[in-house]
Amino acid sequence: KQEVTQIPAALSVPEGENLVLNCSFTDSAIYNLQWFRQDPGKGLTSLLLIQSSQREQTSGRLNASLDKSSGRSTLYIAASQPGDSATYLCAVTFGNEKLTFGTGTRLTIIP
Amino acid sequence: DGGITQSPKYLFRKEGQNVTLSCEQNLNHDAMYWYRQDPGQGLRLIYYSQIVNDFQKGDIAEGYSVSREKKESFPLTVTSAQKNPTAFYLCASWAGYEAFFGQGTRLTVV
């Protein structure tokens, strides 16, 4: 079964610190991987998309990496801010156009 | 603006009622999806449609129904057969490489 796992479920860090969120998946034959942000009671906002042929993508303070051989992706957030507090979801497309989601990491940035 | 519109934002259902959640997109995407989100859990796929007049069951389709008569629209009906419908429902469309989501509908059984 194709599964996506995110650990930890929750993370609190002081403002200004750099941090890494983790995502692991069970099948290396992926089409792409997306990182989303979700604020409470809201929909999902796409942050970064990594195609299977890519190793990383960057947008501002965010950097996402992909290692298919180990079944892992990381989302690196530099110089964290209180506005970064949200739930971050990793979603993998395993080639059949169906996104499979992890359970998310709830991030709290402490001012 | 291009995007996905879900309505209503909040919906209340009485026991035994069917209710329909709306999802409209003007992105010209062929594929559309419905997900359910429960507290502390990831998104679970209910139904998806890759083309007009065609749709497939996802992982938790029981108690739900959909239609895809137009490319722009993919309504989800929560039937009385769904015993625990209280959840947050999210609609998405697929650009061939990237997914885009609406703002969700929160359904509560009263």
Side-chain angles (χ1 to χ4, degrees):
Chain A
K1 182 180 178 183
Q2 296 161 335
E3 295 182 342
V4 179
T5 304
Q6 292 183 252
I7 296 174
L11 180 66
S12 294
V13 300
E15 180 179 0
E17 285 197 0
N18 303 327
L19 60 100
V20 174
L21 305 180
N22 297 297
C23 173
S24 60
F25 45 92
T26 55
D27 186 347
S28 63
I30 72 170
Y31 181 72
N32 65 25
L33 184 146
Q34 257 180 287
W35 281 94
F36 292 91
R37 169 186 173 135
Q38 186 177 31
D39 293 291
K42 303 293 186 182
L44 275 63
T45 300
S46 181
L47 297 173
L48 288 165
L49 169 72
I50 308 178
Q51 302 280 13
S52 62
S53 59
Q54 298 173 321
R55 295 297 301 269
E56 64 178 334
Q57 283 287 337
T58 298
S59 176
R61 294 183 294 109
L62 305 180
N63 176 276
S65 67
L66 174 64
D67 185 342
K68 290 193 299 180
S69 61
S70 65
R72 294 183 60 191
S73 175
T74 61
L75 179 65
Y76 174 84
I77 302 178
S80 59
Q81 303 171 357
D84 294 331
S85 296
T87 296
Y88 290 81
L89 293 158
C90 166
V92 179
T93 305
F94 289 106
N96 55 2
E97 294 192 357
K98 291 193 296 181
L99 284 170
T100 300
F101 281 84
T103 52
T105 295
R106 188 173 68 253
L107 176 65
T108 302
I109 305 300
I110 305 166
Chain B
D1 284 1
I4 301 176
T5 303
Q6 290 187 242
S7 62
K9 187 174 181 179
Y10 300 97
L11 186 58
F12 297 91
R13 191 195 93 166
K14 294 182 179 179
E15 295 281 353
Q17 270 187 342
N18 292 352
V19 291
T20 298
L21 285 60
S22 171
C23 178
E24 304 280 331
Q25 55 104 354
N26 60 6
L27 300 169
N28 201 34
H29 293 166
D30 286 317
M32 297 185 73
Y33 304 80
W34 274 106
Y35 289 89
R36 170 180 172 142
Q37 187 177 34
D38 294 282
Q41 297 191 35
L43 278 68
R44 293 182 289 168
L45 183 63
I46 305 172
Y47 267 98
Y48 65 104
S49 167
Q50 294 180 322
I51 197 168
V52 174
N53 293 322
D54 186 49
F55 48 83
Q56 288 80 40
K57 294 182 179 180
D59 301 319
I60 56 166
E62 184 175 353
Y64 300 96
S65 66
V66 294
S67 63
R68 188 81 188 280
E69 297 177 0
K70 298 186 301 181
K71 189 175 187 177
E72 301 79 18
S73 179
F74 191 39
L76 173 73
T77 296
V78 184
T79 75
S80 57
Q82 171 50 240
K83 298 307 179 187
N84 184 24
T86 295
F88 190 53
Y89 291 85
L90 286 158
C91 177
S93 69
W94 175 259
Y97 56 89
E98 186 174 6
F100 296 86
F101 280 81
Q103 287 300 300
T105 293
R106 184 164 300 281
L107 173 63
T108 304
V109 174
V110 296

